[in-house]
Amino acid sequence: MTHLISILVLLLKIYATKSCSGISLKTQELYALVFLTRYLDLFTDFISVYNTVMKLVFIASSLAIVWCMRMHRAVRRTYDKELDTFRHYFLIAACFVLSLILNEKFTFQEIFWAFSIYLEAVAILPQLVLLQRSGNVDNLTGQYVFFLGAYRAFYILNWIYRYITEPHFSRWIACVSGIVQTALYADFFYYYFISWKNNAKLQLPA
């Protein structure tokens, strides 16, 4: 739900303000790729209606955000292209190579699952770099990044609980990647807390 809230906040920002200023298109493209490769099991396994609907929502919403930023006449004019210069294709290549080496099972679906986990861990990097370059962060963008980071932090609590209560719990790829992903948010969380405590506008040091 926290992840879903982050997406809804971002969609609210784009559709209400007709602006994607402060949002990294490259991060959004990486997240679209994460969902498309992680949810390949939609074609092979049915878990529940809720599970299927949520997967389709994440895929559709991520593709909609990318489409708006690339194609919507008003929104695309506000894209900070000169600040969003992180070479995200290096992340894609590195994560794919890593998924071929470190995976739970060497099958097509498991390799792409591992790839999506590794890629999600670093997908926020272009966004964080863009925010650091721009300095000032508007309220909705700050809320979006906060909820996106909080979602993974809650996952770590879930893994700790499952490790204690389940005798054969083993999700080391997801756990290590989740810790890395949460660590990347540490600096942002610090400045977010400071701005909230002082009731001030969120600003990141260059």
Side-chain angles (χ1 to χ4, degrees):
M1 288 299 101
T2 310
H3 196 178
L4 183 60
I5 289 172
S6 73
I7 293 175
L8 293 177
V9 168
L10 181 54
L11 286 171
L12 173 65
K13 170 187 168 64
I14 292 175
Y15 283 100
T17 66
K18 295 295 186 293
S19 170
C20 63
S21 176
I23 301 298
S24 169
L25 172 61
K26 294 182 177 182
T27 283
Q28 299 310 314
E29 289 175 339
L30 290 178
Y31 271 111
L33 186 57
V34 164
F35 296 135
L36 288 170
T37 53
R38 179 173 304 170
Y39 299 144
L40 292 173
D41 60 349
L42 281 169
F43 300 102
T44 58
D45 303 302
F46 177 77
I47 298 174
S48 67
V49 173
Y50 167 80
N51 183 274
T52 299
V53 169
M54 290 301 291
K55 289 176 179 178
L56 292 174
V57 166
F58 284 129
I59 291 172
S61 59
S62 62
L63 291 176
I65 291 168
V66 171
W67 180 88
C68 278
M69 294 183 69
R70 281 192 170 275
M71 307 299 294
H72 192 283
R73 186 176 301 176
V75 174
R76 68 182 182 182
R77 287 200 297 263
T78 64
Y79 170 48
D80 301 316
K81 187 176 182 179
E82 67 282 357
L83 298 178
D84 194 20
T85 58
F86 194 99
R87 297 181 179 179
H88 63 326
Y89 44 82
F90 285 136
L91 296 178
I92 296 173
C95 290
F96 184 70
V97 171
L98 189 60
S99 69
L100 292 174
I101 301 171
L102 298 175
N103 53 71
E104 294 187 356
K105 189 184 295 183
F106 198 79
T107 63
F108 178 84
Q109 192 165 306
E110 286 299 321
I111 286 172
F112 276 102
W113 178 83
F115 168 74
S116 74
I117 295 295
Y118 296 140
L119 188 61
E120 185 181 17
V122 295
I124 195 62
L125 280 174
Q127 179 65 63
L128 294 177
V129 170
L130 187 153
L131 292 180
Q132 192 173 42
R133 287 175 177 173
S134 63
N136 291 327
V137 183
D138 69 73
N139 185 51
L140 287 176
T141 302
Q143 297 289 348
Y144 160 68
V145 177
F146 172 78
F147 281 115
L148 198 58
Y151 128 81
R152 183 53 71 183
F154 280 125
Y155 249 120
I156 292 177
L157 296 177
N158 172 258
W159 291 327
I160 294 172
Y161 171 79
R162 293 181 63 185
Y163 180 78
I164 295 172
T165 58
E166 296 180 19
H168 303 293
F169 177 72
S170 176
R171 301 283 286 190
W172 65 270
I173 290 178
C175 289
V176 173
S177 299
I179 293 171
V180 170
Q181 184 177 353
T182 305
L184 291 176
Y185 284 90
D187 188 60
F188 175 86
F189 282 150
Y190 171 76
Y191 287 104
Y192 184 92
F193 174 75
I194 293 298
S195 67
W196 173 79
K197 183 180 179 181
N198 297 329
N199 195 26
K201 186 177 178 62
L202 177 60
Q203 292 183 313
L204 300 180

